[in-house]
Amino acid sequence: MWISSSRPSERQPAVIRNLLIWGTVAIVLIWPMAVAATSPLLAWRDSIYIAAGLSGVFGLALMTVQPLLARGVLPGLDGLHGRRWHRWGGALLLLTVALHIGGLWLTSPPDVIDALTLRSPTPFSVWGVIALWALGLAGTGALVRDRMPPRVWRRVHLAATTVAVTTTVIHAMLIVGTMGTWSKVALSGAALLALGHALYHSRIGWRRGR
């Protein structure tokens, strides 16, 4: 009786911890999406432009989750299970970027051309294009990872994703749009913290020769 009655109390702190982690993740991800989706700036925009903008916000949210999945720190998504979801998340991230750029192309082709050719007068466009190139490099590296030495692949992938997350945050912070100030700061900060966590532990792993 003593053993059976003690087990629920032993599991309770872990359950509370898991709920707090997932609750925090949900708030950080859902809050900016909700603010962007209900922004008054969307009142006169068509559905394609709205979808393109929300795809960009969702992409930044995915960038926040991706390092956590790779490190296996989310409850219930550790080890191989977490890395499997990390690969699916990477594919979904590339899809959201394609929807973001494609939607903007349909609504304003000249602006997209100016951005891709680095002729746009808006600074945030340049950072967005750099993020696009970095994500493309990360995605291409994932496709050919079996042809590269594991250590080389990890360094290239981590470098590309570091550039992608950093420049995406700069891109988002420079835009005065549908994302609220505080929700944008919270999501950008969360993305950088998740990236920093991955960089820190990867550096420890390299020092140990893993």
Side-chain angles (χ1 to χ4, degrees), residues 34-57:
V35 171
T38 57
S39 172
L41 297 177
L42 298 178
W44 309 108
R45 297 292 187 174
D46 57 30
S47 57
I48 296 178
Y49 181 90
I50 294 174
L54 292 179
S55 295
V57 179

Side-chain angles (χ1 to χ4, degrees), residues 65-90:
V65 178
Q66 281 294 88
L68 304 179
L69 290 172
R71 292 298 310 167
V73 298
L74 293 177
L77 295 177
D78 54 348
L80 293 175
H81 195 43
R83 287 193 289 272
R84 186 179 299 112
W85 277 97
H86 176 75
R87 289 192 289 269
W88 282 106

Side-chain angles (χ1 to χ4, degrees), residues 71 151 154-155 198-210:
R71 292 298 310 167
R151 182 183 293 265
R154 292 191 189 98
R155 290 180 181 273
L199 290 172
Y200 174 76
H201 286 279
S202 296
R203 185 178 181 182
I204 292 177
W206 290 336
R207 285 181 175 180
R208 295 175 178 175
R210 295 179 182 176

Side-chain angles (χ1 to χ4, degrees), residues 33-195:
M33 290 291 295
V35 171
T38 57
S39 172
L41 297 177
L42 298 178
W44 309 108
R45 297 292 187 174
D46 57 30
S47 57
I48 296 178
Y49 181 90
I50 294 174
L54 292 179
S55 295
V57 179
F58 185 60
L60 181 55
L62 282 176
M63 286 185 173
T64 305
V65 178
Q66 281 294 88
L68 304 179
L69 290 172
R71 292 298 310 167
V73 298
L74 293 177
L77 295 177
D78 54 348
L80 293 175
H81 195 43
R83 287 193 289 272
R84 186 179 299 112
W85 277 97
H86 176 75
R87 289 192 289 269
W88 282 106
L92 182 59
L93 176 57
L94 293 176
L95 177 61
T96 60
V97 172
L99 292 175
H100 181 62
I101 297 175
L104 294 178
W105 170 269
L106 292 175
T107 56
S108 183
D111 289 339
V112 175
I113 293 175
D114 287 344
L116 294 176
T117 56
L118 303 180
R119 295 184 300 178
S120 176
T122 53
F124 64 80
S125 297
V126 177
W127 293 106
V129 172
I130 296 175
L132 172 65
W133 291 341
L135 281 174
L137 177 61
T140 302
L143 293 175
V144 300
R145 61 175 299 179
D146 293 336
R147 303 179 184 179
M148 302 172 63
R151 182 183 293 265
V152 173
W153 179 83
R154 292 191 189 98
R155 290 180 181 273
V156 171
H157 187 70
L158 193 58
T161 53
T162 298
V163 173
V165 173
T166 305
T167 53
T168 299
V169 167
I170 298 174
H171 173 70
M173 293 301 298
L174 290 177
I175 297 176
V176 180
T178 59
M179 292 183 69
T181 301
W182 291 111
S183 63
K184 180 166 59 177
V185 169
L187 182 57
S188 298
L192 293 176
L193 285 174
L195 174 63

